[in-house]
Amino acid sequence: VQLQASGGGLVQAGGSLRLSCAASGSISRINAMRWYRQAPGKQRELVAAITYGGSTNYYAGSVKGRFTISRDNAKNTVYLQMNNLEPEDTAVYYCNEDIRTSGDLLFRAYWGQGTLVTVSS
């Protein structure tokens, strides 16, 4: 299983970006999908999470109202729409997913490689 994150880049404060993370491989089912971020010198933090059906979402307080997490189960892809970006949002963003592969009974956690978001003031 591989997770490929994309969509990062350089944007001015107040701008928007949309991150994507596509999972590939022998996937039977993906339960929770999450986005984390890690800023220089800081610990990795959970930004947003979404359940399989999308009915329950979580957002960190610092991004609530500005970021929206969504998923397309047919494409095994999770998105993070980031609006009204602030310099404090500058970080490497990682996707993290609970995946059960074909023939496996257990869900295992997988990480994407990270995509850099830089917000200039």
Side-chain angles (χ1 to χ4, degrees):
V1 173
Q2 287 190 328
L3 302 185
Q4 182 67 43
S6 61
L10 174 64
V11 64
Q12 288 189 331
S16 298
L17 284 174
R18 188 191 194 207
L19 306 183
S20 300
C21 178
S24 60
S26 298
I27 296 169
S28 174
R29 180 181 170 113
I30 303 176
N31 271 357
M33 293 175 148
R34 309 172 190 88
W35 286 99
Y36 284 80
R37 69 184 180 186
Q38 187 166 19
K42 295 188 176 181
Q43 288 188 331
R44 190 172 297 189
E45 64 169 343
L46 177 62
V47 175
I50 186 169
T51 54
Y52 177 80
S55 60
T56 304
N57 300 341
Y58 165 85
Y59 295 98
S62 58
V63 308
K64 198 171 294 185
R66 300 187 297 122
F67 291 11
T68 302
I69 188 170
S70 62
R71 62 190 288 169
D72 184 334
N73 289 332
K75 296 181 179 179
N76 289 333
T77 299
V78 62
Y79 305 96
L80 187 67
Q81 177 67 43
M82 306 185 294
N83 298 328
N84 194 21
L85 283 160
E86 303 170 352
E88 292 74 23
D89 296 317
T90 295
V92 177
Y93 285 72
Y94 299 90
C95 51
N96 166 259
E97 301 177 9
D98 297 336
I99 298 175
R100 184 177 67 199
T101 56
S102 301
D104 200 345
L105 296 178
L106 302 177
F107 286 87
R108 305 180 193 276
Y110 292 85
W111 289 89
Q113 85 284 6
T115 184
L116 177 62
V117 172
T118 304
V119 184
S120 63
S121 57

